[in-house]
Amino acid sequence: MKTIPNWINGQEALPEKGNWLDKFNPHTGLPMSRGADSTSVDTHRAIDAAGKAFPVWSSMTPVRRGQILADMVTLMKQNSAELAECIAVETGKPPHDAVGEVNGAILQAEFFAGEGMRLYGRTLTSAMPGKQSFTVRQPRGIAGLIVPANTPIANIAWKTFPALICGNTVVMKAAEDAPEIAHIFARLTKESGIPDGVFNVIQGRGLPAGAAIVEDGRVAIISFTGSTGVGRWIAEVAGRRLARVSLELGGKNPFVVCDDADLERAVHWASLSAFSNAGQRCAAGSRILVFRQIYDEFKNAFISRASGLKLGVTTDCDLGPVINQRQHRNVLTAINGAVADGGIVLCGGKVPVDTALANGYYIQPTVIDGLRAEADLSCQELFGPVVTLHPVDGIREALKLANTTEYGLTAAIHTQNLDRAMYFAQNVRAGVANINIGTFGSEPHMPFGGFGASGNGSREPGIEALDVYSELKNISVLTQGGMY
Ligand code: NAD
């Protein structure tokens, strides 16, 4: 079986204790690889390497760093088939979804490579005659980047490129369930000319390998994408030493369907929002709020769409399995809990009957109604192909229910009425509000992040990411105009 070591100082590094973690293929349930089960000693070695590489990388001009990152973009394009294949196998997503994810990661990389020729500051006026003032962006130091497995190459690119263009060096904690994609990415960083030690990868468990990044005083930035519980712990520990902390956490995103919505379009986007990537998206539209006048009509069309989705890992499939056995169990337990809570399973709710899928971590696309809006499953993120439907009496109630969970990541509304759409978009507690589309995140040049328990206020892609990964300095000079 393939073993996936750490990547430290431009080369493979075996875990110091010689322990490995089994990674299972989500489609077959069989072991497929073993990633290094790193200890805090392994993490410290990666931090040492990132620290040593910092002076060289941070002192290059941003334009030069951008040129090197542009070479990395070229390599990602040349190796996109290998990257997509690896993601498809490690995560179990259908091939076209894996290709789409790689293309998204490349766009992200292109955007930030180009930032080397911008990295704009501001020129400022002054009350003092002859004083010229402006801001520049400077690197912070070592960035500890911690990612989950749901969209692994997108998550890696999302953090790595802005961190590097700003002149930081990186220790990345790969996701337990997507070890190989991080390893391939690391290999490409070396081929592209990124100096040794600038980008390092630690494989293994959150505890101890990831926690050792969070606890190490040498790490100046912690950027974490993952669950809200772990995010809270990171904010406490890294906050104590005043590290910069960027948290991209969970979501329970509302999808509102008004009585004047184009129903076919609403069903299409609701289905994609709820079930793409088997519902394992922080931005998944897992709570659908439907105007009562059209509730039954929407419900029937949506059930028919959900029941027709094809599970599997071939190009004709809509969604794959969930990532691991633990998550498979969690989702099935939550569905049973919802039924005990008064929920009615309108479709799905079980593992599929198809014997070809019997050993994988598959769950049928599941639609539940009859639950109170405050019930656990209506409010808590599940990270699986499960959605709850709730009738609402008008836009005010829709907005009220949209805003009742602790999260606030994305939201969508379907209506032909611009006033209603804008009322919702302006007032919903979410970092992203979409009209007549799905609860999807943003493009590489747009800010993404959440209100409430979905984050700590930072926004990562877009130029807003530069605020996470750089330190702003105000430089002023007093010139004596008129002397010459
Ligand atoms: P998770 O929090 O269990 O793990 C995420 C990563 O953190 C993994 O690499 C894990 O090893 C590491 N980790 C766990 N405990 C740690 C600790 N104490 N210290 C340091 N690192 C630690 O999350 P998951 O279940 O793998 O991922 C799903 C979650 O991620 C969902 O809640 C989802 O909403 C969220 N997510 C958010 C976004 C976003 O942009 N807001 C995007 C994708 C996923």
Side-chain angles (χ1 to χ4, degrees):
M1 207 178 356
K2 212 180 275 180
T3 54
I4 299 152
N6 293 319
W7 184 270
I8 299 177
N9 203 26
Q11 55 191 336
E12 296 187 343
L14 295 174
E16 59 113 10
K17 286 245 155 70
N19 294 335
W20 301 88
L21 280 181
D22 283 339
K23 152 74 189 158
F24 295 86
N25 180 319
H27 172 61
T28 62
L30 296 172
M32 61 174 284
S33 64
R34 294 176 341 151
D37 187 7
S38 307
T39 64
S40 56
V41 172
D42 295 303
T43 302
H44 293 154
R45 286 178 184 160
I47 296 172
D48 291 345
K52 286 202 186 99
F54 180 71
V56 171
W57 184 247
S58 61
S59 59
M60 278 183 195
T61 64
V63 172
R64 180 68 197 122
R65 289 197 294 263
Q67 287 169 330
I68 297 175
L69 295 187
D71 289 343
M72 178 70 184
V73 173
T74 305
L75 275 178
M76 287 174 77
K77 286 181 180 168
Q78 285 167 355
N79 291 276
S80 61
E82 186 195 356
L83 292 166
E85 164 74 18
C86 172
I87 292 168
V89 178
E90 281 198 322
T91 65
K93 66 185 69 176
H96 45 279
D97 284 354
V99 168
E101 190 190 320
V102 171
N103 290 341
I106 289 171
L107 264 186
Q108 188 75 248
E110 270 174 337
F111 176 74
F112 282 106
E115 198 54 38
M117 285 188 274
R118 293 182 295 266
L119 217 61
Y120 296 138
R122 286 190 297 151
T123 53
L124 304 165
T125 58
S126 168
M128 190 182 285
K131 182 174 159 189
Q132 323 285 326
S133 201
F134 58 98
T135 61
V136 292
R137 290 191 180 276
Q138 298 195 329
R140 287 208 99 219
I142 301 172
L145 312 179
I146 304 174
V147 291
N150 63 334
T151 48
I153 190 75
N155 297 340
I156 291 170
W158 181 292
K159 295 185 186 304
T160 300
F161 287 96
L164 292 184
I165 196 65
C166 287
N168 307 288
T169 53
V170 165
V171 176
M172 167 159 288
K173 160 66 180 68
E176 293 88 323
D177 280 301
E180 192 177 358
I181 190 70
H183 192 71
I184 298 175
F185 183 89
R187 215 187 58 217
L188 295 182
T189 62
K190 185 168 178 100
E191 280 177 44
S192 70
I194 293 175
D196 291 351
V198 169
F199 181 82
N200 307 277
V201 177
I202 286 294
Q203 304 284 354
R205 290 168 291 148
L207 263 175
I213 298 179
V214 178
E215 287 164 339
D216 196 304
R218 293 171 293 171
V219 181
I221 305 164
I222 305 287
S223 174
F224 169 77
T225 297
S227 54
T228 295
V230 174
R232 286 202 167 100
W233 178 81
I234 289 175
E236 266 181 55
V237 173
R240 238 175 269 141
R241 62 182 163 82
L242 302 182
R244 172 98 28 100
V245 178
S246 174
L247 302 174
E248 301 282 349
L249 308 177
K252 187 78 186 175
N253 310 287
F255 185 107
V256 174
V257 187
C258 301
D259 53 355
D260 62 343
D262 173 334
L263 269 199
E264 208 183 310
R265 188 166 161 190
V267 166
H268 168 78
W269 283 108
S271 171
L272 280 177
S273 299
F275 302 124
S276 58
N277 210 23
Q280 300 167 110
R281 295 190 309 115
C282 53
S286 47
R287 260 161 21 109
I288 306 190
L289 312 171
V290 187
F291 277 37
R292 200 175 294 277
Q293 297 91 317
I294 53 146
Y295 187 76
D296 286 336
E297 196 185 346
F298 176 85
K299 181 172 85 174
N300 294 334
F302 188 63
I303 293 170
S304 147
R305 176 67 60 100
S307 339
L309 295 174
K310 183 161 186 215
L311 283 88
V313 288
T314 48
T315 45
D316 55 341
C317 292
D318 298 293
L319 67 153
V322 295
I323 193 73
N324 56 33
Q325 197 175 41
R326 178 173 45 87
Q327 189 54 9
H328 191 243
R329 254 188 245 122
N330 286 349
V331 174
L332 292 171
T333 305
I335 294 171
N336 291 337
V339 171
D341 235 358
I344 299 158
V345 176
L346 300 173
C347 72
K350 297 195 171 67
V351 297
V353 284
D354 184 349
T355 49
L357 308 179
N359 297 322
Y361 311 130
Y362 285 94
I363 296 157
Q364 295 169 331
T366 301
V367 182
I368 297 177
D369 84 347
L371 273 182
R372 287 171 303 112
E374 309 75 34
D376 279 355
L377 191 67
S378 315
C379 296
Q380 289 304 315
E381 182 186 53
L382 188 53
F383 231 54
V386 179
V387 65
T388 58
L389 293 188
H390 306 269
V392 291
D393 289 310
I395 188 67
R396 285 182 196 284
E397 191 186 4
L399 179 67
K400 186 167 159 245
L401 291 195
N403 286 343
T404 46
T405 74
E406 62 170 343
Y407 301 106
L409 197 52
T410 71
I413 184 166
H414 278 243
T415 175
Q416 313 282 341
N417 181 325
L418 183 62
D419 294 333
R420 199 186 244 172
M422 289 312 295
Y423 166 77
F424 179 82
Q426 291 281 0
N427 291 293
V428 71
R429 244 176 104 254
V432 173
N434 290 337
I435 299 162
N436 293 336
I437 7 174
T439 53
F440 282 84
S442 308
E443 298 172 41
H445 55 294
M446 298 177 188
F448 182 75
F451 289 35
S454 292
N456 65 341
S458 61
R459 298 289 182 265
E460 277 208 31
I463 53 167
E464 286 75 7
L466 304 177
D467 293 333
V468 172
Y469 294 103
S470 65
E471 200 68 81
L472 210 56
K473 182 178 284 179
N474 184 189
I475 298 179
S476 297
V477 56
L478 188 62
T479 56
Q480 305 206 332
M483 270 184 63
Y484 303 104

